[in-house]
Amino acid sequence: MNLIIGIILLLSLAVVFLLFRSTEILSVAKKKITHSFEDSNNSFNAITGVIFMVTSFIVVFWYSYDQFENYFLPMASQHAPEVEMLFWATMAVTFTVFLITQVMMFYFGYRYRYNKNRKAYFYPENHKLEIVWTVVPAIVLVGLVGWGLYKWNKIMGPPPRDAEIIEIVGYQFAWASRYPGPDNELGNANYKLIDVENIVGIDFTDTSSLDDFMPREIHIPKGKPVLFKIKARDVIHSVYLPYMRSQMNAVPGMPTQMWFIPTKTTAEMREETGNENFNFEIVCNKICGRAHFSMKHTVIVQEEWEYIKWKNEQKSWIEKNPDYYANFIKNNSTDVATLND
Amino acid sequence: MEITKTSTKPKVQEHDHHDDHHEQSFITKYIFSEDHKMIAKQFLISGIFWAIMGGALSSLFRIQLGFPDMDLTALSPIIGNWLTPQGKIDPEVYLALITMHGTIMVFFVLTAGLSGTFSNFLIPLQIGARDMASGFMNMLSYWFFFLSSIVMFISIFVEGGPASGGWTIYPPLSALPQAVSGSGMGMTLWLISMALFIVSALLGSLNYITTVINLRTEGMTFFRMPLTIWAFLVTAILGVLSFPVLLSAALLLIMDRSFGTSFYLSDIYIAGEALSNQGGSAILFQHLFWFLGHPEVYIVILPSLGITSEIIATCSRKPIFGYRAMVYSIFGIGVLSFVVWAHHMFISGMNPFLGSVFTILTLIIAVPSAVKAFNYIATLWRGNIVFTPAMLFSIGLVSFFISGGLTGLFLGNSVIDINLHDTYFVVAHFHIVMGSASFFGLFAGVYHWFPKMYGRMMNRTLGYIHFWVTFIGAYLVFFPLHYIGIAGFPRRYYSFTNFETGRIESFIDLNTFVSFAAIITFIAQFIFLFNFFYSIYRGRKASKNPWNSNTIEWTTPVEPGHGNWPGAIPKVERWPYDYSKPGSDKDFIPQNIPLSKTPESNMPDDSSR
Ligand code: HEM
Ligand SMILES: [Cu+2]
Ligand SMILES: [Cu+2]
């Protein structure tokens, strides 16, 4: 393998060098003393340009069509189709501009390649034209921006009141999740209380933390708004759910949030993709160190009744770690009050 | 500015007396030179060195992405301690590689290498000055850059490896050595190196601005300046206004790292320990960084656009279309580039309302960019196009600028960016619009002004081979990344084998293909290197004005000496774009030819140009 690559490299180097020598010798032989810069292989370059352009367009169209399923992910949240609509509208606009400008450029290169019997057209400006191509893009952009902002405000705006609240905490190199439990209220947490067991630093002197539970996988209900309250313990991470078209950074010292409404359960996705191992995953999307690339967490979307059933089966954290809780209360009953000042 | 002007005055007059026949020692001529042409060459050669480094690093990490199972033990004599026992690149080394690649390419090649070379070389020659306003500051600028380069180079080999938080060095990752080993000594050196770099950039930029404002020859009004000079001027202004902000960001980071302050740090629990830092804001750093970072991307592209404007006009044998519109859009881009920075932070957790504001501002900046692209195409229309290698690279630049600018419209719309942020789509966007386009401007400039730099011509055939391989290669490398990004693949991932079950297979072939194309394209650059160095010594002797160009640098001797013009500096009589003027029997009228000598081709509105 290495040998073959080496030989190919050597051969191509040899070819390049031969070409180089031969042009030098040829130009000497032809006694081209003037070396006028105008005879610059204009036709060769002009035609190569056109061939390149046509070929690339064919390849791009073919690949984009043929591989669509491969690069276009199924959409699994309510806002995903709305975002994609704008994405593809932008694609239509930009691709049209792309096509027109590239075709013009390479075509002009070919059509107006050097000819010593012709003189270029002295054409320094045309204000009308310039105004047109300033104003038209501006109008199109206003349209795209207006549309975008309308959706942006909706997606980033306040979550519905009935949203399921889940705390997500990123740390090198994993995610933890905490549910508020039956009282629907997440208990206080403090980073100074974090240790090997209490990985998000729950403050158990706050009574609303007593029923909080921390499952191994995140479960969320289909068709109901879900609000992620996002935190990071050490460095910046990013909660990225490509199928939901949702993302938000997790920043130490600054809680963030995002919300969405799932529209497909994991089971439905398994059917749709034909992959029985399919799982939604939170992937970390902000460089965070050595194992950034494997920092992920499974998210299971269920029908609402399944979700409620699952939730009712969960044991609270203190129920699972009674010793820790007892110790905590013993050691912290006074300290924490000062900590939280 | 007044001070620099007066202090350099005597010097300029001195040159008038003894132009060339003043023997300089080797040291003052080649090393501590104050001649702008020599300093330009120093920047160019250093830039080339860094470009090879940056390219080699990227080949290494593309091997990891494209051929994840390859055993690199064969390379261990060179990169031994970067490999795992299985002969694979270590994950932290991977992060260090991308960080160094980005830093080197953005700052050392496309800022110092590009502006340093062409602003230095062309400003005095094209505006008709004997040298920069302050030759001494100019020399200092290079040597600060040199120092900065040395520090950055050393950082690659220190214990713990070089900085590895990405070229954007977001804290807390970059602030805490516990978080990644590159944030130890490597990061300290990175910050020192960048501080030196900023000093160099400021010295250089102030000089460029002063020179353009004060040292233009008689008749060279602002609106008779070639677009190259406009571009260099605005680039320098951007640099002066934005680099100090990076310096302050870096200083605060240094304080957080070494002196226990909490500018960026708050509520952190790491390595089994809760840090005492409270009240800092990690987002603050991002604001400061991108306040430089976004103007920086225009610092990188504007000189290339200026170079391209000049070459496209010359080689189409036509005036640049809409000269004034070009000037205004350079300024428009310059001003707007200061108010769009937070489009890099749409989902950083900042207030969504800010996101809305920055979406609007960001998409406004697309307008002047579009105007520039349209004007280039209009310049080609009905031209008489000569495809010199420089012209090919210029056309390539326009092609990239359009392709990459258009993807900016996706990213600039905050709602679309939610899903695309930090994916390969962003990587595709900026490698095309910034990386490739700006590199092509650099190549175009070298091919075009080589005769003025070294008095010889570069080989054309090698130029063509270089262009076509690089142009096609760059598209093959960067275009496929769009698909990978749309599919939601995060950037800065060491490997995708742990990535969501069932989806990794989808792009294995494409990644291999991209890596293959990248390595071939990198190797093809050695054709250029050979051509460059061979032609310095053995190239065909150049004539005085090999491209029949109008700008006044071509009125200097083939190899201009210290002081540039042996006699008086030519007076400028017209704008630089009188190509193919109706009535004239030649297809170019240089800037120093008075209108009174060309009655046959004068036009009523000539005086307004
Ligand atoms: C049409 C004009 C442009 C628009 C609307 C635009 C928009 C954007 C946006 C919104 C991002 C952030 C994407 C993200 O991180 O999610 C971005 C990234 C970037 N853009 Fe542009 N851009 C434009 C032109 C340019 C130009 C001309 C350059 C350089 C010459 C450039 C260089 C970059 C770079 C380097 C990054 C990524 C930096 C990083 O995260 O490492 N862009 N662009
Ligand atoms: Cu992470
Ligand atoms: Cu930007």
Side-chain angles (χ1 to χ4, degrees):
Chain A
M1 181 64 188
N2 285 348
L3 196 68
I4 298 173
I5 295 178
I7 291 175
I8 293 176
L9 269 182
L10 273 181
L11 277 181
S12 32
L13 272 184
V15 169
V16 169
F17 191 72
L18 274 178
L19 268 170
F20 164 69
R21 289 307 294 177
S22 60
T23 49
E24 287 222 320
I25 292 165
L26 264 183
S27 59
V28 174
K30 281 199 205 145
K31 290 229 165 49
K32 272 205 251 161
I33 300 158
T34 53
H35 280 290
S36 129
F37 89 99
E38 283 95 347
D39 42 55
S40 285
N41 304 47
N42 295 310
S43 297
F44 165 77
N45 285 306
I47 293 169
T48 312
V50 173
I51 296 175
F52 165 76
M53 178 196 68
V54 174
T55 322
S56 331
F57 274 121
I58 295 174
V59 173
V60 168
F61 272 116
W62 165 77
Y63 190 88
S64 306
Y65 178 78
D66 189 64
Q67 297 289 310
F68 186 78
E69 303 267 288
N70 203 358
Y71 64 82
F72 185 80
L73 298 190
M75 303 175 285
S77 77
Q78 204 173 69
H79 69 260
E82 302 173 28
V83 173
E84 286 300 334
M85 185 87 136
L86 180 57
F87 178 93
W88 290 101
T90 310
M91 183 68 87
V93 171
T94 52
F95 208 85
T96 313
V97 178
F98 181 62
L99 202 77
I100 295 173
T101 48
Q102 304 276 357
V103 165
M104 286 209 301
M105 199 163 66
F106 286 100
Y107 173 70
F108 290 167
Y110 170 75
R111 174 72 179 71
Y112 302 111
R113 67 195 184 278
Y114 186 79
N115 174 344
K116 65 173 175 302
N117 300 318
R118 201 162 43 90
K119 200 167 172 181
Y121 174 46
F122 188 83
Y123 190 54
E125 59 197 348
N126 177 337
H127 287 304
K128 260 200 211 124
L129 207 56
E130 287 171 71
I131 289 174
V132 168
W133 67 45
T134 311
V135 172
V136 172
I139 293 174
V140 175
L141 286 174
V142 168
L144 291 175
V145 171
W147 185 351
L149 288 186
Y150 172 66
K151 296 293 175 200
W152 167 258
N153 287 329
K154 216 172 106 186
I155 295 171
M156 303 295 283
R161 284 256 176 72
D162 63 336
E164 283 293 315
I165 295 176
I166 301 161
E167 181 181 71
I168 312 276
V169 181
Y171 59 97
Q172 286 181 330
F173 296 98
W175 300 96
S177 63
R178 176 160 70 116
Y179 286 67
D183 68 350
N184 259 333
E185 208 174 316
L186 283 166
N188 287 342
N190 187 313
Y191 81 103
K192 291 195 173 154
L193 299 175
I194 296 174
D195 59 33
V196 189
E197 284 163 90
N198 185 5
I199 55 177
V200 300
I202 308 175
D203 173 0
F204 294 104
T205 56
D206 177 6
T207 45
S208 48
S209 70
L210 299 181
D211 59 349
D212 293 0
F213 66 89
M214 297 183 59
R216 282 198 37 226
E217 285 161 342
I218 297 172
H219 287 237
I220 52 179
K222 173 180 152 183
K224 267 201 86 182
V226 176
L227 172 64
F228 283 178
K229 295 256 178 207
I230 302 168
K231 287 184 178 173
R233 244 169 53 172
D234 35 36
V235 301
I236 303 179
H237 303 273
S238 184
V239 179
Y240 182 32
L241 280 166
Y243 292 88
M244 317 302 185
R245 312 294 194 263
S246 280
Q247 181 172 199
M248 181 50 74
N249 284 4
V251 186
M254 190 185 86
T256 58
Q257 64 176 42
M258 75 184 198
W259 70 273
F260 58 94
I261 303 176
T263 51
K264 285 177 188 163
T265 63
T266 300
E268 283 167 341
M269 280 299 292
R270 288 186 177 166
E271 205 162 306
E272 183 177 335
T273 57
N275 171 6
E276 70 223 37
N277 296 321
F278 175 89
N279 262 323
F280 292 109
E281 277 170 357
I282 289 177
V283 290
C284 180
N285 198 16
K286 183 63 80 189
I287 181 171
C288 63
R290 180 175 194 93
H292 171 48
F293 69 102
S294 57
M295 178 169 164
K296 54 178 188 170
H297 198 82
T298 304
V299 175
I300 294 173
V301 184
Q302 291 170 308
E303 297 292 351
E304 198 175 344
W305 62 266
E306 289 175 306
Y307 170 73
I308 292 171
K309 181 160 162 269
W310 170 83
K311 219 163 77 164
N312 291 337
E313 285 163 2
Q314 299 304 307
K315 287 203 186 112
S316 72
W317 198 86
I318 53 169
E319 210 175 326
K320 282 187 183 166
N321 304 274
D323 298 344
Y324 185 94
Y325 176 61
N327 258 329
F328 184 95
I329 293 300
K330 202 163 72 203
N331 299 336
N332 287 289
S333 46
T334 47
D335 308 5
V336 173
T338 42
L339 252 181
N340 281 337
D341 276 344
Chain B
M1 247 173 238
E2 199 48 40
I3 295 168
T4 9
K5 191 181 168 189
T6 43
S7 68
T8 55
K9 259 281 162 53
K11 204 160 204 181
V12 176
Q13 279 157 4
E14 205 175 63
H15 294 319
D16 289 347
H17 298 304
H18 51 250
D19 302 302
D20 286 358
H21 36 257
H22 163 71
E23 278 303 313
Q24 291 171 302
S25 71
F26 179 83
I27 292 198
T28 52
K29 180 149 184 223
Y30 292 107
I31 300 181
F32 294 109
S33 169
E34 294 188 15
D35 182 285
H36 71 102
K37 300 183 290 297
M38 184 52 68
I39 296 176
K41 289 176 195 172
Q42 292 173 331
F43 271 111
L44 180 58
I45 302 290
S46 319
I48 289 176
F49 165 79
W50 277 119
I52 299 170
M53 280 295 290
L57 297 181
S58 71
S59 299
L60 266 181
F61 64 71
R62 269 317 319 181
I63 289 181
Q64 164 60 27
L65 290 173
F67 311 94
D69 301 324
M70 192 185 262
D71 185 349
L72 297 178
T73 319
L75 291 179
S76 58
I78 318 172
I79 53 164
N81 52 354
W82 289 356
L83 299 177
T84 61
Q86 296 80 38
K88 292 186 56 173
I89 291 172
D90 178 84
E92 272 188 21
V93 169
Y94 175 86
L95 297 181
L97 289 175
I98 57 162
T99 304
M100 282 295 116
H101 165 77
T103 308
I104 288 170
M105 289 302 196
V106 173
F107 293 110
F108 289 72
V109 182
L110 295 178
T111 303
L114 182 64
S115 280
T117 304
F118 290 102
S119 295
N120 263 314
F121 192 74
L122 290 179
I123 288 178
L125 282 171
Q126 287 197 328
I127 65 169
R130 300 247 178 242
D131 204 322
M132 282 290 174
S134 166
F136 181 69
M137 260 169 76
N138 210 14
M139 177 191 82
L140 276 187
S141 164
Y142 177 75
W143 287 103
F144 267 105
F145 169 60
F146 190 82
L147 266 182
S148 149
S149 297
I150 300 230
V151 176
M152 192 59 82
F153 190 76
I154 290 174
S155 87
I156 299 177
F157 303 100
V158 295
E159 177 84 44
S164 43
W167 77 281
T168 52
I169 56 153
Y170 284 4
L173 183 62
S174 60
L176 306 172
Q178 307 92 305
V180 65
S181 57
S183 291
M185 192 60 189
M187 193 63 220
T188 304
L189 292 179
W190 193 99
L191 289 165
I192 294 173
S193 168
M194 282 314 294
L196 293 168
F197 184 93
I198 292 167
V199 173
S200 153
L202 288 178
L203 287 170
S205 302
L206 287 172
N207 227 338
Y208 307 149
I209 297 172
T210 323
T211 311
V212 172
I213 292 179
N214 289 321
L215 298 184
R216 280 166 291 127
T217 182
E218 199 186 339
M220 180 62 87
T221 59
F222 276 112
F223 280 103
R224 279 184 184 163
M225 295 196 312
L227 285 171
T228 33
I229 303 300
W230 277 112
F232 298 150
L233 175 64
V234 174
T235 304
I237 296 174
L238 294 187
V240 168
L241 295 179
S242 63
F243 269 117
V245 179
L246 179 63
L247 187 61
S248 57
L251 282 179
L252 299 188
L253 184 53
I254 291 174
M255 308 269 265
D256 273 6
R257 288 167 51 81
S258 309
F259 304 107
T261 56
S262 311
F263 291 105
Y264 307 130
L265 306 179
S266 187
D267 300 5
I268 291 170
Y269 176 91
I270 192 165
E273 183 194 5
L275 306 186
S276 59
N277 309 69
Q278 271 184 311
S281 163
I283 302 289
L284 171 65
F285 178 86
Q286 300 178 21
H287 281 297
L288 293 174
F289 181 88
W290 288 113
F291 190 87
L292 158 95
H294 190 84
E296 168 64 18
V297 306
Y298 283 96
I299 290 173
V300 163
I301 194 70
L302 280 179
S304 283
L305 290 175
I307 288 169
T308 303
S309 309
E310 192 55 32
I311 294 172
I312 287 190
T314 308
C315 295
S316 303
R317 317 306 299 158
K318 249 189 94 190
I320 191 83
F321 184 85
Y323 171 82
R324 289 209 176 216
M326 289 297 241
V327 173
Y328 297 140
S329 41
I330 292 176
F331 261 93
I333 290 175
V335 172
L336 286 171
S337 71
F338 278 103
V339 292
V340 300
W341 76 88
H343 64 209
H344 297 274
M345 304 165 54
F346 283 139
I347 57 149
S348 63
M350 69 178 187
N351 189 325
F353 175 70
L354 262 184
S356 310
V357 174
F358 279 94
T359 296
I360 297 171
L361 291 166
T362 297
L363 294 196
I364 295 177
I365 206 174
V367 175
S369 311
V371 168
K372 285 191 84 71
F374 292 141
N375 283 8
Y376 288 128
I377 295 173
T379 307
L380 294 175
W381 179 69
R382 293 184 68 183
N384 207 8
I385 301 169
V386 184
F387 287 98
T388 62
M391 179 63 167
L392 286 168
F393 276 101
S394 302
I395 292 182
L397 179 153
V398 178
S399 175
F400 287 132
F401 190 63
I402 296 174
S403 315
L406 288 173
T407 50
L409 301 187
F410 293 83
L411 300 171
N413 215 338
S414 48
V415 75
I416 304 183
D417 191 54
I418 295 175
N419 190 46
L420 293 178
H421 177 66
D422 268 339
T423 65
Y424 267 88
F425 194 89
V426 178
V427 180
H429 161 69
F430 72 81
H431 277 89
I432 290 179
V433 75
M434 176 169 88
S436 304
S438 183
F439 248 107
F440 271 44
L442 181 64
F443 285 132
V446 171
Y447 279 106
H448 196 76
W449 279 286
F450 191 86
K452 191 85 290 170
M453 287 182 172
Y454 296 102
R456 291 171 186 270
M457 308 295 284
M458 287 179 76
N459 180 280
R460 222 151 48 188
T461 312
L462 288 187
Y464 294 145
I465 299 174
H466 174 223
F467 169 75
W468 285 110
V469 176
T470 311
F471 183 55
I472 298 173
Y475 263 125
L476 290 183
V477 174
F478 299 124
F479 203 86
L481 302 186
H482 292 118
Y483 298 102
I484 301 179
I486 293 172
F489 278 59
R491 68 195 279 206
R492 294 167 169 166
Y493 263 34
Y494 165 70
S495 132
F496 291 101
T497 42
N498 278 11
F499 201 53
E500 187 191 300
T501 16
R503 201 138 72 83
I504 21 151
E505 290 88 10
S506 43
F507 288 112
I508 285 187
D509 294 345
L510 198 63
N511 262 322
T512 310
F513 175 81
V514 166
S515 295
F516 198 69
I519 292 164
I520 299 278
T521 313
F522 175 61
I523 292 172
Q525 302 317 306
F526 287 91
I527 301 174
F528 168 80
L529 288 180
F530 169 76
N531 196 355
F532 182 84
F533 288 108
Y534 180 88
S535 305
I536 290 180
Y537 301 104
R538 304 282 299 277
R540 185 162 51 76
K541 281 258 168 26
S543 59
K544 213 169 142 184
N545 186 356
W547 322 115
N548 291 347
S549 185
N550 283 344
T551 39
I552 57 173
E553 76 270 29
W554 304 105
T555 62
T556 59
V558 174
E559 277 186 272
H562 205 33
N564 295 340
W565 284 268
I569 302 179
K571 188 165 168 251
V572 166
E573 308 279 358
R574 59 177 73 230
W575 79 326
Y577 297 110
D578 270 345
Y579 289 106
S580 302
K581 229 177 168 194
S584 166
D585 56 347
K586 282 216 247 133
D587 66 357
F588 69 112
I589 310 175
Q591 274 192 290
N592 58 337
I593 309 284
L595 289 173
S596 59
K597 287 221 184 119
T598 57
E600 70 283 355
S601 67
N602 289 352
M603 291 181 160
D605 55 351
D606 270 342
S607 53
S608 71
R609 288 201 190 103

